[in-house]
Amino acid sequence: MTFITWLAVGAMTVAVTAMFVIISVFSGLEDLNKDLISNLHADLTLKSASGKTIKNLDQVNKVLKSNKEISSYSRVIEEKVYISFNGKGDIAYLRGVDSAYVKVNPINKEVFYGTYPSFKYSNEVLMENSLDNRLSIPVDSSNHYATVFMPKPGTGIISKEEDIYNKRDILVTGVFPGKDQLDNYIVSPIELAEELLSLPKKSAYQIVIKLRNPENADAVKQNLLSSFGKNIEIKTKEEENAAFWKMINTEKLFIYLIFALVIFITTFNLAGAIIILQLDKKEQAKSLISLGFPLSHLRMTYFYTGLLIVVSGVITGLIFGTALCYFQLYTEFFRANEVLPFPVKIVGKNYLIVALTASIFGIAISWFFSKISKEYITKS
């Protein structure tokens, strides 16, 4: 094989390796993002279609309890608050939950310092790590309480401090990692949220639901909607994150198109290899044609040469790509930041996508440039 032929194989190998690695990284990112948002949304989230507070909560509870597809559900009230400690302050999200919340979202298993609130007292809270660090709040210290403030709705003249906001001292019992999706979050007993918002007991802004089989989410959603009517709005985990997943899929599509273009451009090295082969072997081809060798067979020789370059490049590229992915999986050498290595997931369909893309372009280029004319060979 000539130098240009080896160059074509090398170029195809590099392009296929790059495309496989990038697509594998995006597959890893999909899993990472699913893990990140698993703390933010349940299999199904039930809200009021009008207003924040869910109405007829007793009827809603009755329907949810009777549905055999539902494993667990929990009441949630979420609102912005201002938190202050020792002269420092910050805006945070207070997520008030009932004791069943950990059955829907086992966030208690992610507590890396301290303990999950016992729910014995309404002012015991779990705090996201970066928020706790910024405010320097000691964990599980009965001598150090932070204060949360919730603005009061309404109009009229303000005559005293209590007219502006409700406030409550809180004790941080534990800390959990926010993973970017739950930054600035405080998880508390739902009674604290009810008190700060002046809501009646047993209130809820939303009900988060865990299913026995998450794959049946759409069917369960339709069944519940038929029971509740138009007063209740229900969204699946995918619908809650529709914009987010649309962005991820769009990025993945554009990355695929960019690397498909790279492979297409790379295949012109293959065209060069076939043309050089035709020029280098022109005299031999002329002799073969003179001896009665069919032109179609000669064309197939050039075509198979291109095909061999494509197959060699694809196989070698996939091997190198797989090796790089396993290297990243085991060493976590390449990192997005100090703590987060680039995620990689080796998926069977990625092999098919990359091999098919490279093969289609390679076969098309090989077929087109192998169509040499008889006049070209026989003329001096």
Side-chain angles (χ1 to χ4, degrees), residues 248-274:
I248 291 293
N249 291 329
T250 302
E251 287 179 354
K252 189 174 181 180
L253 175 62
F254 274 98
I255 288 293
Y256 169 77
L257 292 175
I258 289 169
F259 275 88
L261 179 61
V262 169
I263 288 182
F264 176 69
I265 294 171
T266 302
T267 53
F268 281 96
N269 285 293
L270 171 63
I274 294 173

Side-chain angles (χ1 to χ4, degrees), residues 162-178:
E162 288 75 14
D163 294 337
I164 305 173
Y165 49 74
N166 290 324
K167 67 177 181 178
R168 183 76 190 275
D169 291 338
I170 57 171
L171 173 68
V172 179
T173 64
V175 177
F176 73 100

Side-chain angles (χ1 to χ4, degrees), residues 58-74:
D58 290 336
Q59 180 189 353
V60 172
N61 283 325
K62 186 176 179 181
V63 172
L64 295 179
K65 283 181 180 178
S66 63
N67 194 306
K68 295 180 180 179
E69 291 285 343
I70 295 175
S71 172
S72 304
Y73 63 92
S74 171

